[in-house]
């Protein structure tokens, strides 16, 4: 077999490994993430702008909403981030959309009513997509570490070999 076809075979092998890992990770995250979310009407108790400094990306502002909701006759409260932005003017404009007394749909995990989300699936699809997209990075990191370990072992073997070959 020519060198070209061996390289093609190696690339296809690693592509199959990466795609297989992406599939497995996607299925695992999707099945482990809670899937029963109930829609409830929540009421804004208060909202404020949260200012945070985030690494190299600079400042980030967010709208922090304190809300109350009821499930089965029991009242709950939650604090959640309604918006994150790098623009202070956008945060100011968005704050006006979250006045006290406003009602909005909130999604509550059926088995844990204190776990809330603004998304109907609780963010499950986003978490699954992020995990799948980060899988090639993890596979590449594992392959790189494996490469380094093999290289270090090979150097140790060369140094410890008392009979390096014919002279």
């Amino acid at each position: 077999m020519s060198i070209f076809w061996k390289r093609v075979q190696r690339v296809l092998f690693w592509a199959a490994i990466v795609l297989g890992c992406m599939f497995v990770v996607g299925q695992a995250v999707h099945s482990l993430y809670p899937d029963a979310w109930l829609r409830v009407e929540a009421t804004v108790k208060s909202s404020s702008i949260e200012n945070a400094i985030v690494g190299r990306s600079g400042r980030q502002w967010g709208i922090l909403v304190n809300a109350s909701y009821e499930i089965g006759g029991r009242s709950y409260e939650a604090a959640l981030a309604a918006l994150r932005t790098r623009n202070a003017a956008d945060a100011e404009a968005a704050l006006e959309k979250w006045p006290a007394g406003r009602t909005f749909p909130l999604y509550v995990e059926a088995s844990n009513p204190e776990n809330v989300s603004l998304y109907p699936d609780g963010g499950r699809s986003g978490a699954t997509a992020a995990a799948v997209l980060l899988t090639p990075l993890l596979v590449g990191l594992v392959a790189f570490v494996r490469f380094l370990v093999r290289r270090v072992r090979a150097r140790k073997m060369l140094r410890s070999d008392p009979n390096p070959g014919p002279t």
Side-chain angles (χ1 to χ4, degrees):
M1 190 179 290
S2 72
I3 293 174
F4 172 77
W5 289 112
K6 285 184 180 180
R7 286 184 181 171
V8 168
Q9 189 177 25
R10 185 178 301 150
V11 167
L12 290 175
F13 172 77
W14 280 106
I17 295 278
V18 169
L19 290 174
C21 288
M22 289 172 75
F23 178 77
V24 169
V25 166
Q27 290 299 315
V29 170
H30 191 74
S31 66
L32 294 174
Y33 209 84
D35 62 347
W37 294 85
L38 307 171
R39 181 187 164 125
V40 297
E41 286 298 316
T43 304
V44 175
K45 293 181 79 174
S46 66
S47 60
S48 61
I49 294 179
E50 177 185 89
N51 185 359
I53 298 173
V54 182
R56 289 184 281 161
S57 64
R59 289 190 182 273
Q60 201 175 52
W61 286 265
I63 303 299
L64 183 64
V65 175
N66 293 313
S68 61
Y69 56 98
E70 190 175 302
I71 296 179
R74 185 170 175 203
S75 295
Y76 294 91
E77 289 188 14
L80 52 120
L83 171 82
R84 292 201 187 280
T85 181
R86 290 188 183 149
N87 188 335
D90 290 346
E92 288 287 338
L95 183 62
E96 294 175 10
K97 296 177 183 177
W98 294 94
R102 174 190 168 190
T103 59
F104 65 97
L106 188 66
Y107 300 92
V108 179
E109 183 183 352
S111 61
N112 181 8
E114 293 177 351
N115 190 10
V116 298
S117 176
L118 291 172
Y119 302 102
D121 66 349
R124 181 183 191 185
S125 59
T128 301
V132 167
L133 291 174
L134 290 173
T135 299
L137 181 65
L138 181 63
V139 170
L141 183 63
V142 168
F144 182 67
V145 168
R146 182 175 172 231
F147 167 77
L148 290 177
V149 167
R150 281 181 155 184
R151 192 168 184 120
V152 168
R153 283 185 183 167
R155 284 189 178 177
K156 283 183 181 179
M157 295 291 282
L158 285 175
R159 289 183 187 156
S160 66
D161 190 7
N163 200 2
T167 55

